[in-house]
Amino acid sequence: MKLDRIDINILAELQKNGRVTNVELAERVHLSPSPCLTRTKRLQDEGYIVGYSAHIDLARLGEMLTVFTEVTLKNHRQTDFARFLAAISKIDNVIECHLVSGGYDYLLKFVARGISEYQEIMERLTDMDIGIDKYFSYVVLKSPINRRHLPLAGLFGE
């Protein structure tokens, strides 16, 4: 399925507010409600829209620590990557995991109640013998820019 400008605009609007009504969405993308709903359902059926969720204000829930962690594996066989990913995927505190190029293998994003909880998680991981050679931690002090939506019109617009 090839996406056109209207499809991109629908996706851009929905990622900003997934609870927008179809009538409001249609107005924002300059369509009548019926074709807008048809396009939205098609985008869902084709897998472009994979779900809807609420953004939670974690600061209101209590103290939280965010840590980015660079991880280098001892070996670089396919089985080593698979073993590492199998273990990491079971840790709820890991909210992002990226295989990257450069001086290390993975960039992980953790959330924890504090530095001691994060350190306990890392000690458990290193004790598990899942192939970690070394890791470096970067504690987030402040996040002045934290966008939750992609610049779809700029990336894919016509």
Side-chain angles (χ1 to χ4, degrees):
M1 173 178 151
K2 177 132 171 67
L3 301 184
D4 63 13
R5 179 185 51 79
I6 295 172
D7 293 325
I8 297 296
N9 289 340
I10 289 171
L11 293 173
E13 290 298 326
L14 285 174
Q15 73 175 350
K16 290 177 192 170
N17 180 4
R19 294 182 59 161
V20 66
T21 67
N22 182 60
V23 172
E24 289 175 67
L25 179 60
E27 287 175 11
R28 291 180 188 175
V29 298
H30 309 292
L31 278 180
S32 59
S34 182
C36 183
L37 184 59
T38 300
R39 282 176 177 256
T40 302
K41 287 186 180 206
R42 188 182 78 226
L43 290 165
Q44 290 172 354
D45 293 343
E46 295 288 328
Y48 290 97
I49 299 171
V50 294
Y52 297 89
S53 64
H55 297 291
I56 309 299
D57 183 354
L58 294 176
R60 291 187 58 104
L61 295 174
E63 291 293 316
M64 186 197 63
L65 177 74
T66 301
V67 181
F68 287 96
T69 306
E70 298 173 354
V71 176
T72 303
L73 300 181
K74 293 175 189 171
N75 297 301
H76 295 92
R77 299 175 303 237
Q78 200 60 30
T79 56
D80 299 308
F81 289 105
R83 182 177 44 172
F84 176 79
L85 283 176
I88 288 295
S89 66
K90 294 176 185 165
I91 299 172
D92 289 337
N93 296 74
V94 175
I95 60 170
E96 291 182 23
C97 175
H98 305 274
L99 178 63
V100 297
S101 63
Y104 53 96
D105 298 311
Y106 287 97
L107 179 63
L108 306 176
K109 183 178 181 181
F110 286 85
V111 291
R113 288 186 302 269
I115 196 71
S116 60
E117 182 183 37
Y118 168 74
Q119 191 57 40
E120 287 172 18
I121 294 166
M122 291 311 299
E123 287 171 0
R124 236 180 321 135
L125 285 172
T126 54
D127 288 345
M128 288 172 66
D129 191 32
I130 57 171
I132 296 175
D133 181 33
K134 59 187 172 186
Y135 70 92
F136 295 96
S137 304
Y138 302 91
V139 174
V140 174
L141 302 175
K142 193 175 190 178
S143 298
I145 297 174
N146 190 0
R147 293 186 178 107
R148 291 187 167 100
H149 60 277
L150 301 171
L152 296 179
L155 292 171
F156 302 104
E158 295 177 347

